Amino acid sequence: KNEVEQSPQNLTAQEGEFITINCSYSVGISALHWLQQHPGGGIVSLFMLSSGKKKHGRLIATINIQEKHSSLHITASHPRDSAVYICAVKSGGSNYKLTFGKGTLLTVNP
Amino acid sequence: DGGITQSPKYLFRKEGQNVTLSCEQNLNHDAMYWYRQDPGQGLRLIYYSQIVNDFQKGDIAEGYSVSREKKESFPLTVTSAQKNPTAFYLCASNSWGQRTEAFFGQGTRLTVV
């Protein structure tokens, strides 16, 4: 069983819809990342969080440490949000090894 | 602007040849990482380096080698011993410490024919 599970694997939405992508993990962590990967492959870090909630523009990320669960929300989705969204966790320890989920492919249609 | 540069973006090689992927960062980050991405799978760690002249194997190091002679550079060599080298390779870096974000390169898509 993968230590990081994302759902859904694929998500299709209409422009303007509210999007939620979920991430569950099975290990104790010190931080969780949400990453965005566009066609062509480059990855951008959207958020790094260890508790609570963070907001950047139309993107909101929340984490519940007790439930080992995080969500990424996109408000007023737009076709340019179409990408793969990846959850990654850093477990405790002295080095910085990330364990990645398999990603959620989001397609936003106009 | 600071960032990570991977080159080339696309690389084709014949089976049996070694190939070296470049990763350079000007972020003054201590740690650098190489990941491999295959369709339908999450990113998997190949090698990482936390300091110059030192590196450790990740989860799938077999068939790969790295060096860290300079802080800014962490090249990855895909050797002929790697049984299935065709993949997308990503380099990342971050500063030492638990609460620092990782930065990723644009990736190199390697195709072995």
Side-chain angles (χ1 to χ4, degrees):
Chain A
K1 185 179 183 298
N2 199 23
E3 291 179 342
V4 181
E5 296 281 351
Q6 284 186 238
S7 63
Q9 273 189 295
N10 294 282
L11 181 56
T12 301
Q14 287 301 120
E15 185 173 355
E17 285 185 1
F18 181 82
I19 305 289
T20 296
I21 299 170
N22 296 299
C23 175
S24 296
Y25 51 91
S26 57
V27 296
I29 68 167
S30 58
L32 181 144
H33 291 256
W34 280 104
L35 309 167
Q36 182 190 56
Q37 185 174 31
H38 276 283
I43 287 182
V44 174
S45 177
L46 298 174
F47 295 103
M48 185 181 77
L49 62 166
S50 53
S51 65
K53 176 180 172 178
K54 285 190 176 180
K55 184 175 188 293
H56 185 253
R58 295 181 295 107
L59 301 177
I60 303 166
T62 63
I63 188 168
N64 185 318
I65 297 294
Q66 287 74 30
E67 294 186 4
K68 292 187 168 64
H69 181 268
S70 176
S71 293
L72 175 69
H73 305 285
I74 305 175
T75 62
S77 59
H78 190 276
R80 65 174 175 266
D81 297 325
S82 298
V84 175
Y85 291 86
I86 301 170
C87 171
V89 301
K90 178 196 175 303
S91 53
S94 61
N95 57 46
Y96 197 87
K97 289 172 62 177
L98 291 171
T99 302
F100 293 82
K102 293 183 181 180
T104 294
L105 175 59
L106 171 65
T107 303
V108 181
N109 294 318
Chain B
D1 285 339
I4 299 181
T5 302
Q6 283 187 247
S7 61
K9 191 169 182 178
Y10 299 96
L11 189 55
F12 294 86
R13 277 295 181 268
K14 289 185 178 177
E15 195 172 336
Q17 289 183 334
N18 290 356
V19 60
T20 297
L21 281 57
S22 169
C23 179
E24 304 274 332
Q25 54 98 359
N26 60 1
L27 300 160
N28 199 32
H29 283 170
D30 299 302
M32 298 184 73
Y33 311 82
W34 274 105
Y35 295 93
R36 170 180 170 138
Q37 187 177 41
D38 294 285
Q41 294 200 42
L43 290 154
R44 293 180 291 167
L45 182 64
I46 305 172
Y47 267 99
Y48 65 101
S49 167
Q50 297 172 333
I51 195 168
V52 174
N53 292 324
D54 187 47
F55 47 83
Q56 286 80 41
K57 292 182 179 180
D59 301 316
I60 54 165
E62 186 175 347
Y64 299 98
S65 66
V66 293
S67 62
R68 188 86 185 277
E69 296 176 2
K70 298 186 296 181
K71 190 176 185 179
E72 334 47 276
S73 178
F74 191 42
L76 173 75
T77 297
V78 184
T79 74
S80 56
Q82 167 50 234
K83 292 185 171 55
N84 188 17
T86 294
F88 186 72
Y89 293 88
L90 270 163
C91 179
S93 72
N94 77 301
S95 289
W96 188 242
Q98 292 190 359
R99 298 195 179 279
T100 55
E101 293 199 44
F103 286 75
F104 291 84
Q106 292 298 303
T108 293
R109 189 167 298 279
L110 172 65
T111 303
V112 174
V113 295

